Amino acid sequence: MPALPVFPGPRYTVDDLALSSTLTPLLVVRLRDQKRITAGSGMSVGLAPVAAGTVLLASAPQPTTLYMATVVIGAVIGITTSLGFAHLAASAERRGMETAIAHSKALA
């Protein structure tokens, strides 16, 4: 079995991942507020690039593909995390409203 290649500068890949996962929620939240993206569509479309980045990195393990994969994976982390939390917040708010209505009907 061949040895795995050693990439110089792993710190930069972590920086790229952190930067891309920090910047993408700004755009995603704006699109969700404008109702141009939903949690379901964003999650399913957002997870496809992770698979593509992983396959690209596995097929061509070079520093360039490593950096590209970390940027893509970081962006998807930002997309799915922000959409997931927004979906949870919306469902919790909806359940809270339903509970409040049910309690007000019980008191009436």
Side-chain angles (χ1 to χ4, degrees):
M1 176 180 260
L4 294 174
V6 177
F7 297 118
R11 182 175 82 64
Y12 298 116
T13 59
V14 173
D15 292 346
D16 293 341
L17 185 118
L19 183 64
S20 62
S21 66
T22 302
L23 295 178
T24 51
L26 303 172
L27 175 65
V28 172
V29 169
R30 185 178 310 138
L31 291 175
R32 187 179 184 284
D33 289 344
Q34 296 171 352
K35 301 203 185 304
R36 294 174 61 189
I37 190 171
T38 63
S41 65
M43 293 282 193
S44 58
V45 170
L47 291 176
V50 170
T54 306
V55 168
L56 176 67
L57 186 57
S59 63
Q62 301 296 323
T64 307
T65 56
L66 176 66
Y67 294 130
M68 288 173 25
T70 56
V71 169
V72 169
I73 291 171
V76 172
I77 288 170
I79 291 168
T80 55
T81 302
S82 60
L83 285 175
F85 279 120
H87 181 71
L88 285 174
S91 65
E93 181 180 352
R94 189 173 45 248
R95 274 183 280 156
M97 294 296 287
E98 291 170 358
T99 304
I101 291 170
H103 282 296
S104 66
K105 286 181 180 179
L107 293 175

